[in-house]
Amino acid sequence: MDYRSSGVDISAGNETVKRIKPLVRETFNSNVLSELGSFGGFYVLELEKWSKPVLVSSTDGVGTKLLIAKSLGKYDTIGSDLVNHCVNDIFVHGAVPLFFLDYIGIGKVDPEMIKGIVEGMVFACKEHNMALIGGETAEMAAVYDKGDFDLVGTIIGCVERENIINGSTIREGDQVIGFPSSGLHTNGYSLARSIVFEKMKLEVTDLIDEFGKSVGEELLTVHKSYYQQLRDYATPDQIHGMAHITGGGIAGNLSRIIADDLYAEIDSSSWKRPQIFEYLQREGEVSEEEMFRVFNMGIGFVTVVPSSTADVLVDRAEGINIGCIKKSVQKAERVIIR
């Protein structure tokens, strides 16, 4: 017996590293001290540029969206999805992204497939001036069937302690500014796949006139990052709180930063929903309440701001005023969508 016959191909792993190494190096900057393949990644935090730096971290994945990528044989978009999702998760606290690491668990290593995923991660990391300093590809035939895989990322960022945004300064009268999503982002795909592939019996390559593209291409629309759009405004005096709209929708995520004695009233008619949401609701016969509980419904990121800066974010950052913060008398739901 040998390792390969038991499910692990070392040669394929080495070939994978050979293909992705030059790609990953494109994200390196002067702060990176290590090479891909080291036991650990080294990153220099330039303390002279910070007063009281606080490191902010997050780990996340892309969920069952990767099954769409597998069906189409297109993997670069989910690499970008992963990075952008994680960037948004730490940016809600005002953090600047520094470096990123990935984990790919897979049934059988396919060097070209993994190269595609890494290409997407590299593209997104370069957009955020962030280094991809390491990762792990674990071939586990006993855990994953051939062609099956999982994708997870970890991000580290930094913010000055005095500039941390956590919602603690949100007060009555603040305005809720929403920023349009590019589509489903990376949440709600279990329901979306059930509607499209089980109820409607569609194939990923089937063209949908409403979208002008195949259903698979529409569902692979890349998760949007809001860092570049909002970073110049991410200070506690201009923004009192931020929420990345992921699993749980607007209500589930915005409520995480609002105190018990306040609530946000959201006007659902204040923005136009992307066609994909109307399509899924109609074809799946999904209730309005369930749609808002599962999907972002066209708002991928939310800021809560004082009235004095609301117009600035609407005009300059291309946001939409979708609601306001009110005083809760009976400590009801912290987010009400009307």
Side-chain angles (χ1 to χ4, degrees):
M1 294 183 67
D2 58 20
Y3 211 12
R4 184 172 183 176
S5 67
S6 63
V8 180
D9 189 343
I10 294 176
S11 297
N14 291 337
E15 176 63 24
T16 298
V17 173
K18 180 181 176 181
R19 295 190 189 191
I20 67 175
K21 204 167 186 176
L23 294 171
V24 172
R25 197 177 286 117
E26 292 178 19
T27 71
F28 286 5
N29 52 41
S30 59
N31 300 106
V32 180
L33 300 184
S34 54
E35 278 288 337
L36 186 68
S38 299
F39 287 99
F42 293 86
Y43 188 93
V44 177
L45 182 60
E46 298 174 293
L47 294 176
E48 66 275 11
K49 293 184 177 181
W50 303 86
S51 175
K52 293 183 179 180
V54 175
L55 296 178
V56 184
S57 61
S58 181
T59 295
D60 221 313
V62 298
T64 59
K65 188 173 185 176
L66 56 79
L67 294 176
I68 312 295
K70 174 186 171 183
S71 296
L72 274 179
K74 178 176 173 55
Y75 299 100
D76 58 327
T77 56
I78 57 171
S80 293
D81 284 328
L82 182 66
V83 172
N84 291 346
H85 184 124
C86 289
V87 167
N88 289 339
D89 278 350
I90 66 166
F91 180 56
V92 297
H93 299 298
V96 176
L98 299 178
F99 61 88
F100 194 81
L101 303 100
D102 68 88
Y103 170 83
I104 303 173
I106 192 167
K108 182 174 176 56
V109 168
D110 179 341
E112 196 61 26
M113 166 190 165
I114 294 175
K115 180 187 174 186
I117 295 172
V118 173
E119 283 175 337
M121 290 192 287
V122 165
F123 178 82
C125 282
K126 289 168 69 174
E127 281 196 321
H128 294 95
N129 193 31
M130 177 172 58
L132 176 57
I133 67 171
E136 164 73 355
T137 299
E139 187 173 38
M140 298 182 288
V143 177
Y144 300 97
D145 289 333
K146 183 179 178 181
D148 288 344
F149 67 103
D150 198 9
L151 178 62
V152 180
T154 296
I155 190 171
I156 306 294
C158 194
V159 62
E160 292 285 5
R161 187 167 184 171
E162 63 181 18
N163 288 334
I164 293 175
I165 299 172
N166 58 17
S168 60
T169 57
I170 293 176
R171 57 181 181 266
E172 183 180 10
D174 281 357
Q175 302 299 300
V176 181
I177 310 299
F179 295 86
S181 68
S182 55
L184 271 60
H185 283 183
T186 50
N187 292 100
Y189 276 81
S190 293
L191 177 56
R193 288 187 304 104
S194 294
I195 294 169
V196 172
F197 303 125
E198 294 177 21
K199 184 176 186 293
M200 299 181 67
K201 308 295 184 185
L202 295 179
E203 301 291 335
V204 288
T205 54
D206 286 344
L207 295 177
I208 306 297
D209 291 338
E210 291 178 54
F211 307 145
K213 62 181 77 168
S214 73
V215 65
E217 290 174 311
E218 175 64 29
L219 291 175
L220 280 185
T221 301
V222 173
H223 190 132
K224 184 177 179 179
S225 166
Y226 298 88
Y227 175 72
Q228 302 287 0
Q229 189 174 358
L230 290 170
R231 64 179 181 176
D232 292 341
Y233 308 99
T235 58
D237 59 327
Q238 295 188 89
I239 295 178
H240 290 164
M242 293 193 281
H244 182 199
I245 309 305
T246 57
I250 294 173
N253 289 281
L254 185 52
S255 64
R256 295 163 69 175
I257 61 170
I258 297 176
D260 290 343
D261 61 339
L262 298 171
Y263 76 96
E265 185 173 89
I266 305 299
D267 178 6
S268 62
S269 67
S270 58
W271 72 90
K272 182 175 175 56
R273 303 174 195 174
Q275 287 181 317
I276 183 63
F277 299 107
E278 305 289 348
Y279 181 83
L280 292 174
Q281 184 172 14
R282 181 184 71 243
E283 301 298 336
E285 300 178 275
V286 184
S287 69
E288 185 84 347
E289 180 183 4
E290 182 70 357
M291 289 294 294
F292 270 95
R293 196 169 70 90
V294 175
F295 301 112
N296 65 58
M297 297 302 285
I299 297 295
F301 202 84
V302 165
T303 63
V304 180
V305 304
S307 297
S308 58
T309 61
D311 289 342
V312 172
L313 286 181
V314 170
D315 294 338
R316 298 181 191 172
E318 300 178 344
I320 305 165
N321 196 325
I322 64 172
C324 64
I325 302 296
K326 297 185 177 182
K327 195 75 172 177
S328 178
V329 179
Q330 301 177 345
K331 290 190 176 180
E333 298 177 66
R334 277 181 274 182
V335 178
I336 295 177
I337 300 176
R338 303 190 187 282

